[in-house]
Amino acid sequence: MGWLPVGDSYEISLVDGKVTARSVGLRATGRPLKTLPKVLRDDPEVDRLRQLAQWLDRHSAECLARVDAWVVSSLPVPTGLLARVWPDPAWQDALRDLVVLGDDPAEPGFLRDVTDTGDLRVVNLDGDTVRLSPASATLPHPVRLPDLTDLREFADELDITQRVEQLHRGTWGRPANVKERDTTITDYHGTTVPNRLAARAAALGFRVSGSQVRCRVWEAGRTVEAAMWFDEDYWDSEATLGSLSWSVVDGPTLRLTEVGPVAWSEGIRMATALSGAQTGTGEKA
């Protein structure tokens, strides 16, 4: 953003998310000052700029959370919506370089641009920039990408950094020895974890409800929720983990053999993040 005059001696602006000042006048160098002058710290214009910075931070976090939800559930997103949000730097930062699928699920590409008419410009695995014009686009969960290894290697070659975890998101597959009637995983049962588990779970983006940590996934036309039980008397005490299970929201508990690949992977990812340890029921990709 530009520089705003404050009084006769200074201008202020947001630089890397912080309120920054520079001197004005005949001897001014035009360079930002290392610290905000004391005379400006309580100025109303500085306070308004601080509030703007806080709002921008919240907006950026909301954009990242929304795009993460699209990735986790592999939801088709109307390209008209992408065209409307793309000019916003926060949305663009969250979306750029994510793997996107158009009408052909066998042709993934890295999203580089969205035109005002909703066309997508992507870089495919051949290194070509192509234009796609689907009515909707999917930002798939990595377990739904058959070319995941190739995409990861190509992303490393291009030095791509994704703001939302997609290609390098930890993935877990359901082991072959799961029994037909099993409904819970007890690998983590009795594991003692550092204090403030509930607060840490919330910071990781999981929902905390009573004595459970939960994460939801939209898969196969239904919302499935993974739930990890824990025992924690106070927010500043140690916690002991319990069992992990999955259920349809407002529906029945699922047998482990009924849990879809995305819901399984995200549930194990949640449990692993909370326990801080690898699990014997899956392999991290």
Side-chain angles (χ1 to χ4, degrees):
M1 63 175 294
W3 291 86
L4 306 174
V6 180
D8 298 326
S9 303
Y10 297 102
E11 293 177 333
I12 58 173
S13 183
L14 285 181
V15 178
D16 296 330
K18 293 180 58 178
V19 179
T20 304
R22 70 181 183 184
S23 300
V24 295
L26 295 177
R27 297 186 179 181
T29 64
R31 293 192 298 269
L33 302 175
K34 293 182 178 179
T35 59
L36 197 67
K38 187 175 181 180
V39 68
L40 296 181
R41 292 175 187 172
D42 296 323
D43 188 279
E45 291 298 327
V46 171
D47 186 57
R48 279 192 281 270
L49 209 54
R50 286 197 187 102
Q51 292 181 39
L52 174 60
Q54 293 169 0
W55 181 88
L56 289 172
D57 285 343
R58 291 195 300 272
H59 176 58
S60 178
E62 289 167 359
C63 293
L64 289 170
R66 176 64 64 181
V67 175
D68 184 76
W70 290 345
V71 169
V72 168
S73 294
S74 301
L75 289 173
V77 183
T79 50
L81 173 60
L82 295 179
R84 288 196 295 273
V85 302
W86 185 260
D88 184 329
W91 278 104
Q92 193 173 136
D93 187 48
L95 289 164
R96 185 185 296 278
D97 286 329
L98 288 179
V99 176
V100 62
L101 298 177
D103 293 329
D104 187 348
E107 294 187 2
F110 294 93
L111 183 62
R112 288 297 175 88
D113 191 20
V114 183
T115 70
D116 56 4
T117 59
D119 290 341
L120 312 179
R121 291 194 178 99
V122 304
V123 176
N124 61 24
L125 281 172
D126 294 325
D128 298 325
T129 300
V130 298
R131 186 167 178 152
L132 307 178
S133 302
S136 63
T138 302
L139 308 171
H141 189 281
V143 301
R144 297 198 175 279
L145 286 169
D147 299 319
L148 181 58
T149 299
D150 292 340
L151 287 164
R152 283 174 171 171
E153 292 176 353
F154 192 46
D156 290 340
E157 290 178 14
L158 297 179
D159 198 25
I160 284 176
T161 301
Q162 297 179 323
R163 288 297 312 279
V164 171
E165 275 192 321
Q166 186 192 37
L167 286 184
H168 294 287
R169 193 181 196 92
T171 58
W172 285 260
R174 184 173 56 213
N177 61 351
V178 170
K179 296 180 180 179
E180 178 68 28
R181 294 185 176 276
D182 285 350
T183 58
T184 61
I185 289 177
T186 58
D187 296 50
Y188 311 92
H189 188 82
T191 301
T192 301
V193 296
N195 58 6
R196 298 183 62 82
L197 174 67
R200 187 157 56 90
L204 290 170
F206 305 123
R207 296 172 55 247
V208 181
S209 177
S211 297
Q212 290 182 318
V213 182
R214 302 167 179 263
C215 69
R216 287 186 175 183
V217 169
W218 172 264
E219 186 174 19
R222 62 187 183 181
T223 302
V224 177
E225 186 171 64
M228 165 65 78
W229 288 88
F230 70 94
D231 179 18
E232 183 180 51
D233 292 333
Y234 304 99
W235 276 56
D236 59 352
S237 67
E238 287 188 338
T240 303
L241 298 181
S243 60
L244 171 67
S245 62
W246 288 262
S247 62
V248 177
V249 172
D250 297 326
T253 298
L254 295 173
R255 295 179 181 180
L256 299 184
T257 53
E258 298 174 322
V259 180
V262 175
W264 181 278
S265 184
E266 288 299 303
I268 299 296
R269 178 176 177 268
M270 176 182 70
T272 301
L274 296 176
S275 68
Q278 283 288 351
T279 170
T281 59
E283 293 182 355
K284 186 172 182 179

